[in-house]
Amino acid sequence: MTSLITSIVIAALVLITLVKTAVVVPQRSSYVIERLGKYSKTLDAGLHILIPFVDKIAYRRSTKEEILNIASQSCITSDNVVVEIDGVLYIQVQDVMKSCYGVNDYYLAASQLAQTSLRSAIGRISLDKTFEERDSINAAVVGAVDEAAREWGIKVMRYEIQDITPPESVMHAMEQQMKAEREKRAEIASSEGDRQSRINRAEGYKQEAIELSEGEKQKKINEASGHAQEILLIAEATSKGISLIADAMAAPGGKEAAQLKVAEQFISEFGKMAEKSNTMIVPADMANVGGMVASATEILNKVKVQQ
């Protein structure tokens, strides 16, 4: 019986020794080992053997990127408007030993430093710019926290603002301003459209007037050209007719025929004058029709000589 109890005790001691001695560290984790209360070493992922009752695991750290929710806080802008802002901080343990011995709680330390840095960054800008310059605010918080967190073995990866909530009165004023801005843009767009429409119509009227004037100009040119051609053709025909008459007069009996034709034409035209009017002017030498015919014949002879 005594030997059985002794065996059980020995087996228990061996089991405890194995538990205290063999340590398996998971991937992306690190364990800090203290020997007799003093830092000894840092264990990375894998199987490790410790000295029983001498070495102990003092801290367990994850080297993966971690997310810290930064609680909502009140910040005052440069134009004295109070806004509620919350965000998210991404951190990663770079030096395991410093994260254990450099600060008591690096989660709390990083969170508090992010809040104070955010208040400082918001205090330097106006309310309108808090919505426009999120990237610069995030960069300012990351820079401030990362500089202090180096002593803690912590690397600040990034910071993102989640929500910016101004007071209700400010929200209402901003909505009114946005509404007025939208109405202003609508009025400008409408006026620009009307202006462009008027310009287009004026350009159309101008082009139409130019086309009409060009058409009228071409019409007058064509009419003038036609009239000039007509005059030229009449002159050529007249000249040809006179030449033919002169040639005919040079032929035998031509002179007598011309005199007869002139006399007939004179009597015919004189008769037409009598038909159209009750009043008629009679030449003084009306009885001397032969003299008139002789005068006309003399003119035709002169034309022939000139030709």
Side-chain angles (χ1 to χ4, degrees), residues 38-82:
K38 184 179 179 181
Y39 171 78
S40 174
K41 58 185 175 180
T42 300
L43 303 180
D44 295 326
L47 176 64
H48 302 273
I49 304 299
L50 303 180
I51 301 175
F53 307 106
V54 176
D55 293 340
K56 74 169 185 177
I57 301 174
Y59 300 97
R60 291 176 171 84
R61 291 286 184 262
S62 172
T63 57
K64 295 183 289 186
E65 190 171 331
E66 300 178 84
I67 303 173
L68 295 180
N69 287 316
I70 308 301
S72 178
Q73 61 174 330
S74 298
C75 302
I76 302 176
T77 63
S78 61
D79 49 354
N80 296 321
V81 178
V82 179

Side-chain angles (χ1 to χ4, degrees), residues 5 236 286:
I5 294 174
E236 290 178 353
M286 182 62 188

Side-chain angles (χ1 to χ4, degrees), residues 198-212:
R198 292 175 181 272
I199 291 174
N200 291 341
R201 286 197 297 270
E203 288 290 337
Y205 295 150
K206 175 183 175 183
Q207 191 64 31
E208 180 183 8
I210 291 173
E211 294 294 335
L212 289 175

Side-chain angles (χ1 to χ4, degrees), residues 152-219:
W152 311 333
I154 305 299
K155 173 66 177 177
V156 178
M157 309 304 291
R158 57 192 174 277
Y159 175 81
E160 296 292 339
I161 293 175
Q162 285 187 312
D163 294 313
I164 300 176
T165 308
E168 289 294 332
S169 59
V170 175
M171 288 286 291
H172 181 69
M174 291 174 65
E175 289 176 0
Q176 294 295 325
Q177 182 180 1
M178 291 174 61
K179 180 180 177 182
E181 189 66 26
R182 286 194 296 267
E183 291 176 352
K184 175 184 175 183
R185 289 198 295 266
E187 289 291 335
I188 292 174
S190 177
S191 64
E192 286 292 334
D194 183 64
R195 173 176 173 270
Q196 191 62 42
S197 175
R198 292 175 181 272
I199 291 174
N200 291 341
R201 286 197 297 270
E203 288 290 337
Y205 295 150
K206 175 183 175 183
Q207 191 64 31
E208 180 183 8
I210 291 173
E211 294 294 335
L212 289 175
S213 64
E214 286 292 334
E216 188 66 24
K217 173 184 174 183
Q218 191 63 41
K219 176 184 175 183

Side-chain angles (χ1 to χ4, degrees), residues 7 55 63 85 120 127 130-131 172 186 189 206 227 269 275 277 289 292:
S7 299
D55 293 340
T63 57
I85 303 178
S120 177
L127 176 63
T130 58
F131 299 96
H172 181 69
K206 175 183 175 183
H227 187 58
E269 293 298 327
E275 291 176 359
S277 176
V289 176
M292 293 181 181

Side-chain angles (χ1 to χ4, degrees), residues 79-97:
D79 49 354
N80 296 321
V81 178
V82 179
V83 294
E84 293 288 331
I85 303 178
D86 60 355
V88 179
L89 186 68
Y90 297 82
I91 62 175
Q92 185 178 33
V93 175
Q94 300 278 311
D95 190 322
V96 176
M97 187 188 73

